[in-house]
Amino acid sequence: MLVRQSAVYAFGAIALAVIALVMVAVYSRLFTAEQYGTFAIVMSSAALAYGTTLNWLSTTIIRMYAASPDKNGFLGAVLYYYLLIAAVAILGSLAALGWLETSEERTLVVVGLCVFLSIGWMELQFRIYQARLEAARLTRARLVRSTLGAILGASLAWAGWGPVGALIGVVAGAVLPALIEIILVWRHVPIGGTIAVRESLWKFGSPLIASFALGQVSRFSGRYLVIWLEGVAMVGIYSLALELAARLANTLLMPINSAAAPLVVDRVEQNNHAAARASLRNAFVLFVGIALPSVTGISFVAADLATVFVGEEFRAGVVLLLPLLVLSFFITGLTNSYLDLSLHLSLNSKRILYRSIAGSILNLVLGFLLIRSHGLIGAAYASLITAVAMGAFTWWLGRDAFKLPFPLWPLSKLIAATALMAGALLFVDTQPGFVGLLVKVLVGVTVYGLALLLLDVEGVRGRLPELLKKVQKRIG
C-alpha cells in the first residue's frame, strides 16, 4: 500500500516540479530581483497566514478523519472553521487598507488576501483526499491548480502586469478547481456539523494553533529579516533559491510523506500497531534512501541547475545558497513527516508546542545574528542549524510517546551507497549547463543504483526479477 500510494504521489510530484522549475525559469527572466521579492513576500505572507490560522485544521483532518463515524458532519465542522477564519481575515484586511498610503500597497493586500483564501481552501481539500487515501484524485487536483496558475500567471506577467499578474494567476489556478469541488461535494455538506464534532476538532487542534504559528515564524522569519537587513532585491534572490530548494526537496519527499502519514494513522486507529511500525520502518528507509543521495547530488549540480533554470541576476546567489537550503529542507522534512508522528500518534499536542517555541526563538536569534554578519548565506546557515537542532529536540520529546523504528543496518548501507556515488561524481568535470547536469545525474543515479544492488539494501537483489517482470508485463 505504501509503495503504491507513493508511486502515484511520485508521478504528481515530478510533474509539479517540472511546472515549478519552468516558472522559476520564466519569472527569474521576466522579473528583476526586486519584483520577484515583491511577489515572494506576498506569497510568503499568504503562506504564513495559512500556517498560522488553518494548518491546525489540515493536521486535524489527517489525524481524525479516518476515525470519524459521521464523515459529512466532520466536513461540516471543517467548513465552519474555514468560514470563521476567512471572515476574520477579510475584516482584518479591510481594516488594514485604511492605514496604507499607496494604491500599490492596497492592491497587494487585496490580492494577498485572495491568495490566502483560495490556497487555504484547496489545501484543506487536499488533506481530505489524503486522509481518504485518494492519491490519484489528490494528484490530479494539484496538477490542475499548478498548471492553471502557471499559465495564467506567466501570461499576465509577460503582458506587463508584473508581480500582481503572477499573483492573480495563483488565485485563479486555485479558485477554478475549488468551484468544481464545491458543486460536486461541498453543496451537500451541512455547514457547522454538530457541536460535538466541532468540539472534538477544537480539542485536538487548538493546542496546535500556537505551535504552528510559532513554526511559521521560524519558517518565514529569515525572509523578513533579509528584507529588514538586506532589502527587497536580496529577499528576491533568497526567495528564489528557497523556491528551487523546496521544489527539489518536495519532489523527492512528498510521495513518501503524503502516503505514509494517513496509512500509519489508519493502522493505529485499527489497533494494528505492528503494521503501523512496519510502515514507519519502510517510510524511514525510503526517506533516507532518497534524501541522502539527493542532498549529496544537488551539491554537485547546483551550478548546472542555476545555469539552466535561473536568470542571470539571481544565478550567483542560488549557487551559493542551494546546497545548504536543500539540506535544511530534507532535515525539516524528516522531522515533520517522521519524527513528529510519535507526537501526533500519541495525541501529544503540547510537546509539539514546546518544540515550536524553541525553534522560533532559535531561528530568530540565529537569523538576526548571522544575516547581520554574513548576509544571505547567514540566513541559510540559520535555517540549517535550526533544522538540525529541532530534529534532535523532536526526537527527544517523542522518545517515550510512540516508539519509532530506526533501522541502523539499512541506514549504514545507504550511507555507503551515497559515499560511492559522491566519489564517482568527484571525477565528473563538465562546464555548468544542461549537458553537465544531464551527465552528472546519469552518473549519480547509475552509481547509486549499482551500489544499492551491490550492498543488497533491503534485499533489492532478490526483488529485482519480480520488479522487472511487473515492468515487462505493463509494457507488454
Side-chain angles (χ1 to χ4, degrees), residues 222-223 226 230 233-246 248 295 298-299 301-303 305-306 310 313-329 370-371 374-384:
R223 290 172 233 210
V226 169
E230 299 288 326
M234 289 297 101
V235 85
I237 295 171
Y238 183 67
S239 296
L240 191 85
L242 275 172
E243 174 68 13
L244 189 56
L248 291 169
V295 171
I298 287 168
S299 68
V301 301
L305 286 168
V310 177
E313 185 179 359
F314 300 82
R315 203 165 290 164
V318 169
V319 173
L320 181 68
L321 297 169
L322 189 61
L324 291 172
L325 292 175
V326 168
L327 179 56
S328 175
F329 273 112
L370 293 176
I371 293 170
H374 294 82
L376 289 185
I377 194 69
Y381 281 131
S383 295
L384 179 57

Side-chain angles (χ1 to χ4, degrees), residues 300-309 319 430-437 440:
F300 281 95
V301 301
D304 304 281
L305 286 168
T307 301
V308 174
F309 293 108
V319 173
T430 59
Q431 290 295 317
F434 179 75
V435 174
L437 177 62
K440 289 173 185 174

